[in-house]
Amino acid sequence: MRDLAPTIAAQQPFGVNDEWTATHLERIAVSNGRRRDALQCLGRFVYPVELRTLAAHTVAIRNDLSVDTVEADATERMAIQLHHLDIPVLSASGLLAYDAESRLVVYTATDVMNQYASESVSEPRQFSAL
């Protein structure tokens, strides 16, 4: 999986410090509604979640459905979008950790959702396989 942080950081103006870059990466990460919804779903789990589970919950929240009623093809499309588009950005910004081999995702940020989406998370979580 491609790490986007060096690419995004390289585009920053001369003299920009790491703190500004980290904040900028967080803002880029949560600027997309699908990423915010995925983070909101992920923040509800206290353990690493399989990508397809996160995808099903994200589809459910985006379409105001029960997770049980989400169709398999919608889950598959969302899993592909999350894997290729959203998770790399969220991972580069430090909001989550993702193990592409096992397809497990864990929420690692504590205050970002409070700051950007008014969701409460008690403490950071770590994924020991990373």
Side-chain angles (χ1 to χ4, degrees):
M1 185 176 304
R2 191 173 134 219
D3 183 12
L4 298 178
T7 304
I8 295 171
Q11 297 172 0
Q12 303 308 322
F14 178 77
V16 172
N17 63 29
D18 289 339
E19 181 180 323
W20 183 90
T21 303
T23 302
H24 190 67
L25 285 172
E26 287 176 359
R27 287 187 180 160
I28 290 170
V30 297
S31 67
N32 176 282
R34 187 176 56 236
R35 288 193 292 261
R36 284 192 306 273
D37 291 341
L39 283 174
Q40 182 180 3
C41 292
L42 192 57
R44 295 176 182 165
F45 294 95
V46 294
Y47 50 85
V49 177
E50 206 276 329
L51 176 62
R52 292 195 193 292
T53 302
L54 176 60
H57 283 266
T58 304
V59 169
I61 198 171
R62 292 184 66 78
N63 295 293
D64 197 25
L65 300 170
S66 165
V67 175
D68 300 331
T69 62
V70 174
E71 295 180 8
D73 62 328
T75 298
E76 180 66 21
R77 283 193 306 273
M78 182 61 71
I80 290 168
Q81 290 176 335
L82 290 172
H83 177 79
H84 291 287
L85 302 174
D86 301 315
I87 289 177
V89 173
L90 294 169
S91 180
S93 65
L95 299 175
L96 59 79
Y98 180 59
D99 180 28
E101 193 172 305
S102 66
R103 303 264 176 161
L104 291 175
V105 187
V106 65
Y107 188 67
T108 57
T110 56
D111 61 342
V112 173
M113 288 304 288
N114 289 332
Q115 180 179 354
Y116 296 110
S118 301
E119 284 293 319
S120 149
V121 177
S122 58
E123 61 185 58
R125 291 173 221 127
Q126 299 296 319
F127 186 56
S128 61
L130 295 179

